[in-house]
Amino acid sequence: MAEIEVAADRTLVNMVEALVFAADEPVSAAEIARTYQVVTEAQGPDEEAIEDAVDLLNRAYQQNGHVLRIEQWAGGYRMATRDRAAAYLEEFFKQIRRVKLSRPLMETLAIVSYRQPVTRLEVDQVRGVNSDYALRRLLELDMILITGRSKSIGQPLLYGTTDHFLETFGLNDLNDLPNLRDIEALLDDPDFSVERARLLILNGLDASES
């Protein structure tokens, strides 16, 4: 492990490594700072100090030939492995059943992710069919959640994506969503028209990118 000159830095680096290794979900910088402050009774580290600790750990892993590294994921940090370990992990975990999203669920999830917060009626308008079942199923799978109510007539429920959605698709945040060119490939649907894609994309993207 790379040498750390300052004792306080060593404490922070050790704590970051332990938290990220032990946690089942990505650990945010705020959670790291809070834990440090409670345990050490000292002022919590700022985000830059935490980033430096992560960078030091990753450089140490690389220098020592480890397959581990710490990645930013779903707004936090989590332990990951390098590509050279992928074949071994795939073989080890191949018997584990993973949820496979059907095309209607993927389409509904894509609409929610790009248009959030979004109502069921808005999802229906883009898909052209009733989306009650798809939304209920995505709620059960913890891919989406209810974020509040719209101010429109009837105050319908608003839906958005979860951290589990980001984690499942390997996204750090919503800015990492694919652009319009990738939508058809994402949905595996050659009939997904440019007009429907135009409705799906947030205002920051233009349909001319397709």
Side-chain angles (χ1 to χ4, degrees):
M1 186 68 69
E3 211 41 55
I4 304 169
E5 297 180 357
V6 182
D9 289 346
R10 184 185 297 275
T11 299
L12 176 59
V13 169
N14 289 342
M15 190 204 71
V16 168
E17 185 176 36
L19 288 181
V20 175
F21 172 79
D24 292 329
E25 299 178 352
V27 183
S28 70
E31 291 172 320
I32 293 172
R34 184 197 65 80
T35 303
Y36 182 96
Q37 186 169 1
V38 170
V39 174
T40 65
E41 298 183 346
Q43 182 176 352
D46 58 22
E47 191 167 342
E48 183 177 357
I50 293 170
E51 289 176 356
D52 288 343
V54 170
D55 181 62
L56 189 144
L57 284 165
N58 281 333
R59 284 190 282 113
Y61 295 152
Q62 185 171 4
Q63 289 168 8
N64 288 278
H66 294 177
V67 297
L68 297 176
R69 66 176 288 106
I70 297 174
E71 300 280 5
Q72 279 196 306
W73 203 310
Y77 296 100
R78 71 173 302 170
M79 196 72 74
T81 55
R82 295 183 178 275
D83 290 342
R84 64 176 181 265
Y88 303 103
L89 294 173
E90 183 178 354
E91 174 62 23
F92 183 74
F93 288 108
K94 69 180 181 179
Q95 300 301 323
I96 297 178
R97 296 182 60 188
R98 302 187 64 176
V99 174
K100 182 177 180 180
L101 298 179
S102 65
R103 194 168 74 185
L105 290 185
M106 278 293 292
E107 185 175 279
T108 302
L109 184 57
I111 294 166
V112 173
S113 64
Y114 282 96
R115 293 287 298 271
Q116 61 185 302
V118 63
T119 66
R120 180 189 60 77
L121 180 59
E122 290 170 325
V123 176
D124 291 350
Q125 287 173 341
V126 177
R127 295 189 65 223
V129 295
N130 185 287
S131 303
D132 274 343
Y133 170 77
L135 290 170
R136 286 200 308 271
R137 183 65 181 138
L138 290 171
L139 284 168
E140 292 171 358
L141 294 172
D142 193 30
M143 291 290 181
I144 65 172
L145 76 168
I146 295 169
T147 62
R149 288 188 176 274
S150 170
K151 294 181 180 179
S152 61
I153 296 175
Q155 295 187 315
L157 296 173
L158 291 169
Y159 298 92
T161 53
T162 63
D163 287 344
H164 180 61
F165 159 76
L166 295 175
E167 196 173 344
T168 299
F169 288 92
L171 304 173
N172 183 46
D173 55 42
L174 294 176
N175 292 325
D176 293 335
L177 285 169
N179 59 34
L180 185 55
R181 297 186 189 95
D182 302 321
I183 295 301
E184 285 191 14
L186 176 67
L187 299 177
D188 192 25
D189 184 358
D191 296 324
F192 194 79
S193 67
V194 173
E195 288 76 16
R196 290 167 71 195
R198 189 192 299 271
L199 286 171
L200 189 153
I201 297 296
L202 289 169
N203 295 333
L205 293 175
D206 190 282
S208 62
E209 294 178 6
S210 61

